[in-house]
């Protein structure tokens, strides 16, 4: 989850475009400054990283296991997005199933909504759009306005003072 309470364990991300697994692992390793390896080659304090591909606008799925608990997931995801030159989606701090944090290649982090379709190969994500607080997806689940990642201001809904 993209929050301020880092926890040892699992990070689930997806990247825009088809990104090679070796490039993903190198980007995660560079951001963490520690070894990253495949699930079938665990080694010492290495983070384990599984990468596979599905359809959709974010077809590269990335699961990182044994992640360090002293680093914020959103910060690392942002650094990985910069290194890959690709948008990454990571879970946010709400219970809204359509809401994510988008880490952009320039390092920007912002709240978005995305349409999801479950397939036999994994979840396909399409139609990423800013979380505005007025998107119908904001009403589908709790938390958009209570999140650390605030909805984006629009002309119809200016930012709170």
């Amino acid at each position: 989850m993209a929050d301020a309470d880092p926890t040892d364990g699992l990070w689930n991300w997806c990247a825009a475009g088809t990104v090679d697994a070796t490039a993903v692992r190198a980007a995660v390793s560079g951001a963490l400054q520690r070894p990253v390896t495949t699930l079938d080659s665990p080694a010492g304090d290495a983070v384990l990283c599984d990468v596979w591909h599905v359809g959709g606008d974010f077809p590269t799925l990335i699961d990182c296991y044994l992640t360090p608990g002293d680093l914020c997931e959103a910060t690392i995801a942002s650094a990985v997005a910069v290194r890959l030159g690709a948008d990454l989606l990571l879970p946010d701090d709400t219970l809204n199933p359509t809401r994510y944090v988008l880490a952009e290649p320039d390092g920007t982090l912002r709240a978005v909504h995305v349409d999801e379709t479950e397939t036999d190969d994994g979840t396909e994500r399409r139609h990423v759009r800013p979380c505005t607080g007025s998107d119908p997806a904001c009403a589908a689940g709790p938390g958009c306005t209570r999140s650390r990642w605030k909805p984006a201001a629009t002309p119809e809904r200016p930012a709170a003072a």
Side-chain angles (χ1 to χ4, degrees):
M1 204 185 285
D3 57 19
D5 296 324
T7 305
D8 288 316
L10 173 64
W11 293 339
N12 300 109
W13 305 334
C14 54
T18 303
V19 184
D20 179 69
T22 303
V24 169
R25 288 186 192 96
V28 174
S29 179
L32 290 173
Q33 296 297 297
R34 68 188 291 180
V36 174
T37 187
T38 63
L39 297 180
D40 58 349
S41 303
D45 68 343
V47 170
L48 304 179
C49 185
D50 191 19
V51 179
W52 72 101
H53 300 96
V54 296
D57 297 337
F58 287 80
T60 303
L61 302 184
I62 305 163
D63 285 350
C64 295
Y65 302 89
L66 305 176
T67 58
D70 59 341
L71 299 173
C72 180
E73 178 183 4
T75 302
I76 299 303
S78 175
V80 170
V82 169
R83 283 173 169 75
L84 292 176
D87 289 340
L88 288 182
L89 287 176
L90 61 149
D92 76 343
D93 57 353
T94 70
L95 297 176
N96 187 325
T98 70
R99 194 165 189 269
Y100 287 83
V101 173
L102 177 67
E104 298 179 82
D106 67 359
T108 300
L109 294 167
R110 63 187 175 102
V112 297
H113 286 281
V114 61
D115 296 335
E116 295 184 331
T117 304
E118 294 295 330
T119 71
D120 289 341
D121 294 325
T123 305
E124 294 183 0
R125 293 168 181 89
R126 291 183 170 80
H127 188 67
V128 173
R129 58 210 177 270
C131 175
T132 61
S134 59
D135 187 297
C138 294
C144 288
T145 58
R146 294 186 309 248
S147 171
R148 166 182 167 193
W149 310 100
K150 299 299 179 201
T154 64
E156 300 82 32
R157 187 182 169 103

